[in-house]
Amino acid sequence: MTKPGLLPEGFHDRLPPFADVAAAVEARVLEAARLYGYERIDPPLAEYADELAARLKAGGLANAVRFVDPVGQATLAIRPDLTAQVARIAATRMGHHPRPVRLSYGGSVLKLRATQLAPARERRQLGVELIGLDSIAAAREVVAVAADALAAAGIADPSVDFTLPDLVDTLAAGALPVPAGQIDALRDRLDAKDAGGVAAIAPAYLPLIEAAGAFAPALERLRAFDTTGALASRLDGLRQIADSLGGRVAMTLDPTERHGFEYQSWLGFSLFAAGAARELGRGGTYVVVHPNGNEEPATGFTLYADALLAGDATVERRRLFLPHGTPDAEGTSLRAQGWVTVAALDPADTPQAQLATHCWVAGQAQAL
């Protein structure tokens, strides 16, 4: 028998005033997206498992909690990520909509297993997806929305770390051939920056380990490595995206980073804040699969609400206590001015009991 009030491992309550702060941050982030034309959708918490698995070219149902619906006897899945649901909506319910489709979302997801760095199994995600266009212009817009969203959330000193998720596949299929059976191992060794492991598989890829760091010099090292021009279009695109940010965020480049980018195609990026213990979100380009098998390009990003709030050491409360008997009209007027009012519902109530910061006395708001 569990102890009263305890929650399962990986779950937590958010209490006042932190839940109010979280809701306000979410509203500001989604408003930043709305101003770019991204309209909000609200998918269900669970749906058919095979449908979730089918909409992304890879990774749509990884780490999902599955169960059998006692009503319909079908296997359902609680969403482990909202992107697959956005892809499903864009490919089916909004399949007739002119492209590109701009959608935003905010909602909770459930992971089957957590990690040591991110121990929460239930997380709240916020994000945007631009479906139907694979171009530098689309990527520039999505990265710009991400930068504005971080600013709206109050993140100081944000940074973007770019990666090229299909880099090894592109090179292995052309300029620097690698046997098919060794590509996965090579990706893993590059991701781990294991020079010895890379040398044992494909020594020609060793310069990629050094082609990471501050964006401008890392990009130049990549250009020097790309003697055949196989990566030229990707590198030109990265430069255009970086230039469009106009110095609003710090930028780094790690071209072989793969962790967390299992379904991204040519572009991936992680979002950070100075001093943060973990990333604030991820984004990039990917492929949506339609019911008839047709594929459609998309670009988007997801922010993790808990990570956005991790830097909030203090939360400001501003509550005005209305003594018992205060006329309703005065409370209405004060709320219209932006005050949060807490009315005494019996004569014994006190400002301290109601966690008030101010008290309404003789027609004045007096700080306590």
Side-chain angles (χ1 to χ4, degrees):
M1 183 174 178
T2 59
K3 294 182 179 180
L6 288 183
L7 291 173
E9 184 176 350
F11 295 84
H12 71 279
D13 294 315
R14 179 172 282 131
L15 303 179
F18 301 99
D20 280 334
V21 172
V25 169
E26 179 172 325
R28 294 198 302 270
V29 166
L30 293 175
E31 175 63 8
R34 189 185 72 84
L35 294 176
Y36 279 86
Y38 289 80
E39 297 182 300
R40 187 165 180 176
I41 58 171
D42 188 11
L45 182 63
E47 56 181 88
Y48 294 117
D50 56 358
E51 182 66 34
L52 269 182
R55 292 287 73 85
L56 295 182
K57 196 169 184 179
L61 201 56
N63 206 16
V65 174
R66 299 172 175 85
F67 63 99
V68 176
D69 181 6
V71 177
Q73 298 302 306
T75 299
L76 306 184
I78 299 175
R79 60 190 182 203
D81 184 273
L82 272 147
T83 305
Q85 290 188 299
V86 180
R88 188 257 306 162
I89 289 171
T92 57
R93 303 289 301 277
M94 298 184 70
H96 65 286
H97 195 284
R99 267 35 185 175
V101 181
R102 290 175 169 88
L103 300 173
S104 66
Y105 55 84
S108 296
V109 300
L110 178 65
K111 303 286 188 180
L112 181 62
R113 297 179 182 85
T115 66
Q116 287 185 333
L117 290 178
R121 292 175 59 201
E122 181 188 12
R123 304 174 76 178
R124 191 155 182 89
Q125 292 184 345
L126 318 171
V128 309
E129 311 295 337
L130 191 155
I131 296 126
L133 195 61
D134 185 13
S135 67
I136 302 303
R140 286 175 57 186
E141 177 175 294
V142 168
V143 175
V145 177
D148 280 7
L150 293 180
I155 300 301
D157 301 321
S159 65
V160 180
D161 183 36
F162 292 102
T163 186
L164 298 171
D166 69 351
L167 175 64
V168 173
D169 300 277
T170 300
L171 294 173
L176 297 174
V178 176
Q182 293 185 297
I183 292 177
D184 286 344
L186 178 59
R187 286 199 206 99
D188 291 342
R189 300 282 62 79
L190 284 167
D191 195 4
K193 306 297 184 286
D194 178 1
V198 172
I201 299 171
Y205 284 76
L206 280 171
L208 290 176
I209 294 179
E210 299 299 323
F215 183 84
L219 186 66
E220 291 310 308
R221 287 193 289 270
L222 261 185
R223 288 194 188 278
F225 166 79
D226 183 32
T227 57
T228 66
L231 306 177
S233 63
R234 288 168 171 76
L235 301 185
D236 290 344
L238 276 178
R239 169 52 68 189
Q240 292 180 48
I241 294 167
D243 289 346
S244 72
L245 289 172
R248 287 190 292 156
V249 298
M251 292 179 292
T252 55
L253 175 60
D254 186 350
T256 60
E257 172 69 38
R258 283 283 299 172
H259 179 68
F261 296 99
E262 289 77 14
Y263 65 80
Q264 271 75 21
S265 52
W266 74 270
L267 173 69
F269 58 90
S270 299
L271 303 164
F272 293 91
R278 57 191 174 96
E279 64 193 359
L280 306 180
R282 289 195 187 112
T285 57
Y286 59 98
V287 174
V288 174
V289 180
H290 285 248
N292 61 5
N294 288 344
E295 296 181 353
E296 184 174 29
T299 310
F301 70 86
T302 292
L303 297 176
Y304 312 125
D306 285 344
L308 292 177
L309 297 168
D312 284 346
T314 59
V315 176
E316 181 183 359
R317 267 188 170 123
R318 190 168 178 267
R319 291 156 65 90
L320 176 60
F321 181 78
L322 304 182
H324 189 259
T326 300
D328 290 345
E330 291 187 25
T332 300
S333 175
L334 289 165
R335 287 187 291 274
Q337 297 171 39
W339 281 99
V340 173
T341 64
V342 188
L345 301 182
D346 69 62
D349 207 351
T350 66
Q352 292 74 23
Q354 298 306 321
L355 303 176
T357 58
H358 295 73
C359 186
W360 188 242
V361 179
Q364 298 285 332
Q366 296 184 0
L368 297 176

